[in-house]
Amino acid sequence: MKKFYILMLAVFIVNASNAQDWKWLSPIPPGYELFSVHFPDANTGFAVGDCGTIVKTTNGGTSWTLQNPGTSENLNAVYFSTPDSGCAVGWNGTILTTTNGGANWTKRNSGTGNQFSSVYFMDSKTGFVVGWYGTMLKTNNGGADWTTVDPGTTMGLESIYFIDANTGYAAGLHGTIIKTMNGGTTWITQNSSTDRELTSVCFTDANTGYALGHYEYFKGVYDTIAADTSYIFKTTNGGNSWSLQAKIGPQKYFLKSIYFTAPDTGYAVGTMGAVLKTTDGGNTWLKQQTEPRGNLNSVYFLPKGGSNTGYTAGSDGAMLKTTDGGSTWKIQVSGTLKWLFSADFADPYTGYAVGEDGTIIKTTDGGLTWTVQVSGTLMWLFSVNFTDTDTGYAVGDSGAILKTTNGGSTWVMHTTGVINQLNAIYFISQNTTNTGFVVGNNGLILKTINGGTDWTIQNPGTSTGLNSVFFTEANTGYTVGKSGIILKTTDGGTTWISQNSGTDVELKSVYFTDSDIGYAVGSKGTILKTSNGGSNWNALSSGTQVTLGSVYFSNATTGYVGGGELNAVGVILKTTNEGTTWTSLVAGTTNALNSVCFTSVSTGYAFGYGGTILKTTNGGTGFAEFPGNSAKILIYPNPSRDIITIELLEISHFQKTYICLYNIKGQLIAQQPIMQKITNFNIKGLTKGFYLLRIVNNNETLSARFVKE
């Protein structure tokens, strides 16, 4: 059967300008895949990745800032010849250059739509880029202009490395290794002794070099037999001959990048957080201890005497640093990687989020920067509520209730006498800021009338766990929880009456826009609505089966729902007609989103796993392109009427891997697990048109388009 790579169809016009309606705020580096890291000096470093991500550090990786490259094309490689002069390359022939340390990036004319995989500069003026189909370009003016170079091969080139101004090497598919000895004017094919894909090449001196490879490659399709085996090849005569130096595997990981700091000392990184080190010139490789961080795609060590300090970058914005030659690695991040479960804004600029291990973070600039606060506890916190700019509360595990009266500078633990997990807190601001409620496991409801100094247990008449609480006025409130339970009080919490929800799924969040109209969301994509103060609840169509954890309305008609599953898919739904229809907005993250809140009709935030914080300033409207690598998916036939076959070229581990199908409006219309490289997907019931297919895997996110005839 004939197979087609997915084409970027010009007629698929759905905001293809790549405008992202939800901007990533934290953590930095963002949770997109990072493919390359490079440091021109000990303090200044850059990393690039999916969705046009470029991050920069000026303090050796202690903190990172997100740069604006002016594109959302995936970027595969970055190189800086000086702290000011740099180049980044990626998809669709993208070449970006900067002369002021990334403050401004300029897109250059590459003359091709082929993907670029690697970039290398011998000095601030002279550099090369290589990519698909043997594409090679050269610049002599710092990247302002590029000319085509004939490398003598049409094989895809994955890596390029120069020893000096004249001598360089490039490596790629089918074991391709080529060499130049005249500054790239001509290239000679070398005998690599392999037919494997070579992803990385480097040299320690004029004679000694290494190439890293993996995969069997047969008839243009990746063979799964050796997918978890990595191969390291070595030359000791300037590339005239190469021999297999080490075979690593089969393992649960394979290696993707290699770098040597000395003739005998080198490092290789790969999937499953693998970092290996050799001290005998590649004869033996020992795995180093790192915190598992998914894929590690690039490794780089500081030159000029800094051989013990190195960095590696990979999936989910992973950035690790070592200062002891790889013995230990520490995560480098601005913000937090802890799971966030709840957020609340005291004013349009001042907000708080709480989560895993007692995490409390605060912003005073509308989310641009977040600082970690000292909560004084390691208990997980599940809800936060501020009654004014200074006074706020957070609740969580083991009956924990924290209070601050100075904007979070200090938090004091309040004694409640209970050990239940507390899931939500809500203060009735319409009447007085001193009256509040807390709900938790085993049907627990607590009430305070003196700002949390004392708490009394209410009697809800149930032991069912409660997850969320909301009051429409001083006496009328609602709480929802497990088994579809909805309770209502009309006497300020003294008595609670069970409502008929019509469902037995767990409800996670409740929100009312007025005294009559309210919404509740929960597991299996459940959205419920009442128009008569809870007397009746009707199920709405959400278009998804994932867990929905948060609901928030910015006005009477416009509302948002956040959700997702662990290591699966992040979901933001929006309605502009009081819940009659819901549209799936592309959040640009695979992390589940546990909390959504708005400070105005147009400005809103979403918080979730991995410290994810997103922001929109246009109400989250529109449809943005999915991040992800479409070249790693084959879909055939395309177009199709009945069945499409989905073939994943580079995924070998299928734990928690899902197919997510979206229509042209961005609505999630189908989702199912995928357990193998080749899967048939029934599209017979779809209407004619264009669709987006998203593959969500532990290690990465892939996306592609197809046409239903």
Side-chain angles (χ1 to χ4, degrees), residues 443-591:
L444 179 68
I445 300 180
L446 301 175
K447 179 181 180 180
T448 182
I449 58 174
N450 56 11
T453 301
D454 302 293
W455 294 86
T456 58
I457 298 177
Q458 309 294 288
N459 181 17
T462 182
S463 60
T464 302
L466 302 172
N467 296 320
S468 178
V469 59
F470 190 97
F471 273 71
T472 57
E473 49 93 12
N475 291 315
T476 305
Y478 302 80
T479 180
V480 302
K482 295 182 178 179
S483 303
I485 191 171
I486 301 179
L487 303 178
K488 177 181 180 179
T489 181
T490 56
D491 55 12
T494 302
T495 58
W496 294 82
I497 302 170
S498 180
Q499 311 286 290
N500 181 16
S501 69
T503 183
D504 60 359
V505 304
E506 183 173 5
L507 299 176
K508 297 284 192 178
S509 179
V510 61
Y511 192 97
F512 274 71
T513 58
D514 59 34
S515 59
D516 292 320
I517 300 175
Y519 303 83
V521 301
S523 301
K524 299 182 180 180
T526 299
I527 302 180
L528 306 178
K529 178 181 178 180
T530 180
S531 299
N532 54 14
S535 297
N536 304 101
W537 292 83
N538 299 311
L540 305 178
S541 176
S542 68
T544 181
Q545 287 294 307
V546 303
T547 296
L548 302 177
S550 176
V551 56
Y552 193 100
F553 272 71
S554 58
N555 59 32
T557 60
T558 305
Y560 301 81
V561 172
E565 307 288 353
L566 179 61
N567 291 328
V569 58
V571 169
I572 300 178
L573 307 179
K574 179 181 180 179
T575 181
T576 56
N577 53 16
E578 299 184 65
T580 302
T581 58
W582 295 84
T583 300
S584 177
L585 307 180
V586 179
T589 179
T590 58
N591 291 336

Side-chain angles (χ1 to χ4, degrees), residues 671-691:
Q671 180 176 323
Q672 72 178 46
I674 184 170
M675 302 301 295
Q676 54 194 8
K677 280 184 172 292
I678 300 177
T679 301
N680 291 329
F681 194 83
N682 191 337
I683 62 170
K684 188 178 296 184
L686 300 180
T687 58
K688 293 181 179 180
F690 297 92
Y691 293 84

Side-chain angles (χ1 to χ4, degrees), residues 36 77-79 87-89 117-121 127-130 146 159-160:
S36 178
V78 63
Y79 194 99
C87 180
V89 301
S117 304
S118 183
V119 55
Y120 195 100
F121 273 71
F128 288 81
V129 297
V130 296
W146 296 84
S159 179
I160 186 168

Side-chain angles (χ1 to χ4, degrees), residues 225-493:
I225 295 175
D228 296 334
T229 302
S230 300
Y231 304 85
I232 297 174
F233 301 89
K234 182 176 182 178
T235 180
T236 57
N237 54 16
N240 292 327
S241 61
W242 295 78
S243 59
L244 180 62
Q245 180 78 357
K247 178 180 177 181
I248 303 169
Q251 304 282 355
K252 294 182 179 180
Y253 57 85
F254 59 84
L255 302 174
K256 306 178 75 172
S257 177
I258 192 170
Y259 192 93
F260 270 72
T261 60
D264 292 328
T265 305
Y267 303 83
V269 301
T271 59
M272 306 295 287
V275 178
L276 277 66
K277 179 180 180 179
T278 181
T279 56
D280 58 8
N283 292 319
T284 57
W285 294 81
L286 298 178
K287 192 174 181 182
Q288 309 295 290
Q289 294 298 318
T290 62
E291 181 176 338
R293 292 288 298 159
N295 288 348
L296 296 177
N297 300 314
S298 176
V299 59
Y300 185 84
F301 273 72
L302 297 181
K304 299 179 180 179
S307 59
N308 285 324
T309 300
Y311 300 82
T312 179
S315 60
D316 298 324
M319 180 69 67
L320 305 179
K321 177 181 180 179
T322 181
T323 56
D324 55 13
S327 297
T328 58
W329 295 80
K330 295 182 179 179
I331 295 174
Q332 308 292 293
V333 65
S334 299
T336 181
L337 296 174
K338 301 293 186 180
W339 293 0
L340 300 175
F341 295 107
S342 176
D344 192 34
F345 275 73
D347 61 42
Y349 300 100
T350 308
Y352 302 80
V354 300
E356 178 186 358
D357 294 335
T359 296
I360 302 178
I361 57 175
K362 177 182 180 180
T363 181
T364 56
D365 55 13
L368 296 180
T369 58
W370 295 81
T371 57
V372 178
Q373 299 197 300
V374 178
S375 68
T377 181
L378 292 177
M379 295 179 186
W380 287 32
L381 301 174
F382 299 110
S383 182
V384 61
N385 185 222
F386 269 72
T387 58
D388 57 44
T389 55
D390 293 322
T391 308
Y393 305 82
V395 300
D397 275 336
S398 303
I401 299 182
L402 306 179
K403 180 179 180 180
T404 180
T405 56
N406 54 15
S409 297
T410 57
W411 292 82
V412 177
M413 181 77 72
H414 280 230
T415 302
T416 61
V418 300
I419 59 173
N420 303 52
Q421 176 177 303
L422 305 180
N423 298 317
I425 185 167
Y426 188 93
F427 272 76
I428 305 172
S429 58
Q430 296 94 328
N431 182 32
T432 171
T433 57
N434 289 322
T435 302
F437 291 83
V438 170
V439 299
N441 287 359
N442 305 116
L444 179 68
I445 300 180
L446 301 175
K447 179 181 180 180
T448 182
I449 58 174
N450 56 11
T453 301
D454 302 293
W455 294 86
T456 58
I457 298 177
Q458 309 294 288
N459 181 17
T462 182
S463 60
T464 302
L466 302 172
N467 296 320
S468 178
V469 59
F470 190 97
F471 273 71
T472 57
E473 49 93 12
N475 291 315
T476 305
Y478 302 80
T479 180
V480 302
K482 295 182 178 179
S483 303
I485 191 171
I486 301 179
L487 303 178
K488 177 181 180 179
T489 181
T490 56
D491 55 12

Side-chain angles (χ1 to χ4, degrees), residues 44-246:
T44 309
F46 298 82
V48 301
D50 274 343
C51 303
T53 298
I54 302 180
V55 293
K56 176 182 180 180
T57 180
T58 56
N59 54 16
T62 301
S63 61
W64 296 81
T65 57
L66 191 63
Q67 298 198 301
N68 180 16
T71 181
S72 60
E73 294 286 356
N74 293 346
L75 301 175
N76 295 325
V78 63
Y79 194 99
F80 272 72
S81 54
T82 72
D84 290 326
S85 300
C87 180
V89 301
W91 282 75
N92 294 318
T94 299
I95 300 179
L96 307 174
T97 63
T98 180
T99 57
N100 56 10
N104 303 103
W105 289 87
T106 302
K107 187 173 182 178
R108 302 300 185 176
N109 181 19
S110 67
T112 180
N114 292 341
Q115 178 184 168
F116 292 121
S117 304
S118 183
V119 55
Y120 195 100
F121 273 71
M122 292 86 87
D123 53 48
S124 62
K125 298 296 184 182
T126 308
F128 288 81
V129 297
V130 296
W132 283 12
Y133 311 116
T135 303
M136 181 181 288
L137 305 180
K138 180 181 181 179
T139 181
N140 290 312
N141 58 6
D145 302 290
W146 296 84
T147 57
T148 301
V149 176
D150 181 7
T153 181
T154 59
M155 291 297 168
L157 298 174
E158 300 285 339
S159 179
I160 186 168
Y161 189 97
F162 272 76
I163 298 172
D164 54 40
N166 293 314
T167 307
Y169 299 80
L173 300 185
H174 280 302
T176 299
I177 299 180
I178 55 177
K179 177 181 180 179
T180 181
M181 293 182 291
N182 54 14
T185 302
T186 57
W187 293 81
I188 302 170
T189 299
Q190 300 197 295
N191 180 15
S192 68
S193 75
T194 183
D195 193 36
R196 309 187 193 281
E197 178 186 6
L198 300 176
T199 59
S200 184
V201 61
C202 70
F203 274 71
T204 60
D205 57 41
N207 293 314
T208 307
Y210 299 84
L212 174 65
H214 56 81
Y215 295 125
E216 296 283 359
Y217 201 77
F218 177 69
K219 294 183 179 179
V221 178
Y222 289 109
D223 182 2
T224 62
I225 295 175
D228 296 334
T229 302
S230 300
Y231 304 85
I232 297 174
F233 301 89
K234 182 176 182 178
T235 180
T236 57
N237 54 16
N240 292 327
S241 61
W242 295 78
S243 59
L244 180 62
Q245 180 78 357

